[in-house]
């Protein structure tokens, strides 16, 4: 075996990957985002939940050729908080809800959230699904009528016990109670409600949480839930209705119009509505249920990690296979809030950064276990150095008419290749590209998007270094070195093909344009298309570049754009 052949052989085997797709015996993989309250316009925190779910389902598509996917997002439109918001806006409830719900839909479209279903809890199918689900709970004997005396937090739409409160003293010395978790005000409430026997589901919840290592991720949030479930004060029966005299904007309890279904039960059932619990024959529903991945933020962990699986088990349904919980975005270390005036508007920011630019920043900088801090300076620095200078620049350099007058993605030729392989930087680049699919697969499977981005950028740095070191502009001057020049261009473009394919879940528009430019057919943009780069396959034909622009991402002129668009 020649030394180069051996090197290529060993590289091929370094790239062997662990295969961990979502187990999908049921045929359709089901991904969900939370549904968004329509009491306020979207901000980057809402967008972030959707981006994580979108990147995860995009990876699933790329990883598993022919995967069938259901991906749901939508809006949560019932309850006291929405009643109050519509009143404040002097608007009728249906018109108010439709207006804000549309904003969320436009947001999802603008940021290429590839949803298959956009659900609104005010739609008729959802109402019927909630009724069917309620009837099932009642038949299974897990509901009872009782008098609730305790605290209610309208902004969180949550019933709270004493131990979940904390005291807050205002500037004038008044003391009030607020929710210890969210800091939102609570009010004392006495009302007749239907209760759900949550306290009898401890064993089932523990079983779900401890026998399935993916049930709740990351571990930090799973541990919080384990503690909650074992705590007698926390695992108490929960109200699942409110008097309609207080909450009229909601779904009436079947056979008892004096009560409205509690907004969290109503909202959680949206995931069943999309799966076809009410309408389709059972066999079709079983193709989708249970959800494979439900993305949520840390503030709604209790509802999804305790109430939701308990409701499902009580109704005789399987709980989700996996819940992925993320932390929050802060601005200058503070929670975003209208009153502080620090809410970051994704529509406004996308005018300067583009939608893929903002997608990239949020997925590249956000980590699951800790809050991340948003700052425009950080966005500009990252986008300029990574998308403009590292990725975009490499594409325009190898596609420029100076170096590449025939506008070609040159063929792979073993002999030309051996010449450039004499150089250390070439071998390092080849190692990077060969290992990248396996590395990305590991990070995407763990939903560590920032690590996948890191690995892609490291490979592109290696490619830039290779380009600088081999100086193709010098090769161009000497006709007898044309084949070397072709090898440099080929290797650079092959690196771009592999990296763009693997980064599609984060920046679908930019990577799509790059792959178009390199004439990569749409059905050759999957994980298995990059497992064997040209040098491991030993061949690849010459292709023409398309006329698509090679300017992928324009540098953001910090001062000019800041003045023009931001704030
Ligand atoms: N309507 C409920 C969810 C019902 S799901 C059955 C709700 N809506 S929300 O609009 O308040 O929040 C939706 C999502 O946005 C949640 O995942 C929440 O964590 C996320 N975010 C809201 N603010 C956030 C940040 N500042 N940072 C990151 N995500 C945040 O809760």
């Amino acid at each position: 075996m020649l030394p180069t052949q051996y090197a290529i052989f060993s590289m091929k085997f370094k790239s062997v990957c662990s295969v961990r797709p979502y187990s999908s015996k049921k045929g359709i993989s089901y991904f969900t985002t939370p549904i968004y309250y329509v009491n306020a316009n979207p901000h980057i925190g809402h967008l972030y939940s959707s981006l994580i779910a979108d990147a995860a389902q995009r990876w699933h598509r790329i990883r598993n050729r022919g995967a069938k996917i259901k991906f749901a997002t939508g809006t949560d439109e019932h309850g006291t908080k929405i009643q109050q918001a519509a009143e404040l806006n002097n608007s009728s409830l249906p018109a108010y809800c439709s207006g804000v719900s549309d904003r969320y839909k436009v947001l999802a479209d603008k940021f290429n959230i590839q949803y298959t279903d956009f659900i609104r809890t005010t739609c008729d199918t959802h109402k019927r699904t909630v009724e069917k689900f309620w009837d099932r709970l009642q038949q299974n004997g897990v509901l009872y009528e009782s008098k609730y005396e305790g605290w209610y937090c309208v902004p969180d739409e949550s019933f709270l016990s004493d131990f979940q409160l904390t005291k807050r003293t205002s500037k004038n010395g008044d003391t009030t109670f607020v929710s210890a978790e969210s800091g939102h005000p609570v009010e004392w409430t006495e009302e007749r409600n239907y209760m759900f026997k949550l306290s009898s589901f401890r064993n089932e919840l523990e079983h779900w949480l401890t026998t399935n290592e993916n049930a709740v991720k990351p571990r930090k949030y799973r541990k919080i839930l384990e503690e909650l479930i074992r705590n007698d004060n926390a695992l108490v029966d929960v109200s699942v209705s409110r008097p309609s005299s207080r909450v009229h904007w909601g779904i009436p309890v079947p056979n008892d119009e004096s009560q409205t279904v509690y907004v969290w039960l109503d909202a959680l059932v949206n995931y069943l509505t999309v799966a076809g619990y009410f309408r389709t024959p059972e066999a079709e529903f079983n193709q989708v249920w249970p959800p494979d991945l439900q993305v949520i933020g840390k503030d709604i962990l209790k509802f999804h990690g305790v109430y939701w699986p308990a409701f499902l088990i009580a109704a005789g349904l399987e709980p989700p296979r996996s819940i992925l919980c993320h932390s929050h975005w802060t601005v200058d270390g503070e929670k975003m809030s209208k009153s502080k005036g620090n809410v970051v508007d994704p529509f406004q920011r996308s005018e300067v950064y583009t939608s893929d630019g903002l997608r990239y920043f949020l997925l590249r900088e956000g980590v699951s276990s800790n809050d991340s801090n948003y700052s425009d300076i950080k966005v500009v620095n990252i986008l300029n150095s990574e998308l403009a200078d590292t990725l975009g620049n490499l594409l325009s350099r190898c596609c420029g008419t100076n170096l590449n007058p025939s506008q070609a993605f040159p063929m792979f030729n073993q002999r030309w290749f051996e010449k450039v392989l004499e150089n250390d930087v070439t071998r390092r680049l080849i190692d990077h590209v060969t290992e990248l699919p396996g590395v990305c697969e590991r990070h995407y499977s763990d939903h560590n998007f920032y690590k996948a981005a890191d690995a892609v950028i490291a490979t592109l740095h290696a490619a830039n270094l290779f380009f600088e070191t081999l100086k193709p502009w010098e090769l161009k001057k000497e006709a007898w070195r044309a084949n070397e020049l072709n090898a440099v261009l080929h290797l650079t473009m092959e690196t771009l093909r592999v990296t763009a394919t693997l980064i599609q879940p984060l920046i679908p528009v930019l990577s799509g344009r790059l792959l178009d430019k390199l004439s990569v057919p749409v059905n050759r943009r999957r994980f298995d298309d990059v497992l064997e780069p040209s040098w491991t396959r030993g061949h690849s034909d010459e292709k023409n570049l398309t006329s698509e622009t090679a300017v992928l991402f324009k540098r953001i002129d910090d001062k000019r754009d800041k003045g023009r668009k931001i704030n």
Side-chain angles (χ1 to χ4, degrees), residues 345-360:
D345 175 354
F347 292 107
Q348 187 202 29
R349 290 313 198 270
S350 72
E351 282 175 35
V352 181
Y353 305 140
T354 73
S355 50
D356 258 23
L358 191 56
R359 258 186 93 108
Y360 184 72

Side-chain angles (χ1 to χ4, degrees), residues 420-431 462 465-466 469-470:
V420 295
L421 206 58
E422 284 165 11
N423 213 307
D424 265 1
V425 285
T426 313
R427 286 196 294 274
R428 245 177 279 140
L429 173 59
I430 284 179
D431 273 349
L465 181 65
F466 157 80
T469 313
L470 286 243

Side-chain angles (χ1 to χ4, degrees), residues 412-461:
F412 171 79
N413 179 303
Q414 183 71 43
R415 268 189 311 117
W416 306 346
F417 191 68
E418 273 167 22
K419 180 77 188 134
V420 295
L421 206 58
E422 284 165 11
N423 213 307
D424 265 1
V425 285
T426 313
R427 286 196 294 274
R428 245 177 279 140
L429 173 59
I430 284 179
D431 273 349
H432 265 287
V433 178
T434 312
E435 285 173 15
L436 191 63
V439 172
C440 282
E441 165 160 71
R442 202 171 61 245
H443 297 323
Y444 278 125
S445 306
D446 292 339
H447 307 110
N448 283 326
F449 302 112
Y450 70 100
K451 288 190 181 170
D454 239 8
V456 165
I457 294 298
T459 303
L460 290 167
H461 281 151

Side-chain angles (χ1 to χ4, degrees), residues 34-37 43 45-46 49 76 264 271 297 299-300 326 328-329:
I35 50 170
Y36 302 99
Y37 284 131
H43 59 57
H46 304 121
S49 290
D76 186 354
W264 265 103
Y271 304 128
D299 54 324
I300 54 177
H326 64 77
H328 277 187
W329 281 93

Side-chain angles (χ1 to χ4, degrees), residues 370-401:
N370 297 307
D371 286 353
S372 311
N373 198 44
Y374 179 91
S375 104
D376 284 306
I377 295 174
K378 220 169 12 171
V379 182
V380 172
N381 287 343
I382 287 182
L383 299 190
N384 279 347
S385 74
E386 299 188 356
L387 294 188
D389 299 348
T390 304
L391 175 64
N393 200 27
L394 194 61
L395 179 72
S396 32
R397 290 179 94 181
C398 61
C399 295
T401 44

Side-chain angles (χ1 to χ4, degrees), residues 222-331:
R222 178 193 169 136
K223 285 190 80 179
I224 293 178
L225 286 178
E226 281 173 4
E227 276 161 30
L228 210 69
I229 287 168
R230 288 176 194 145
N231 179 344
D232 285 338
N233 290 322
L235 205 71
V236 292
D237 292 354
V238 55
S239 292
V240 283
S241 73
R242 305 218 44 212
S244 11
S245 53
R246 287 190 173 151
V247 187
H248 64 83
W249 186 239
I251 298 172
V253 165
N255 307 316
D256 185 353
E257 298 254 318
S258 71
Q259 293 279 314
T260 300
V261 175
Y262 173 42
V263 63
W264 265 103
L265 176 58
D266 169 343
L268 288 163
V269 170
N270 92 82
Y271 304 128
L272 284 164
T273 307
V274 172
Y277 180 65
F278 165 69
R279 225 183 352 213
T280 51
E282 216 166 76
E284 276 181 50
F285 172 69
N286 292 337
Q287 283 291 299
V288 180
W289 202 260
D292 292 84
L293 188 72
Q294 302 212 266
V295 174
I296 58 161
K298 64 179 185 179
D299 54 324
I300 54 177
L301 180 64
K302 176 183 74 182
F303 300 102
H304 284 81
V306 181
Y307 294 7
W308 178 225
F311 289 157
L312 288 170
I313 295 166
L317 291 166
E318 233 186 284
R321 286 185 176 159
S322 190
I323 291 178
L324 175 63
C325 184
H326 64 77
S327 297
H328 277 187
W329 281 93
T330 55
V331 177

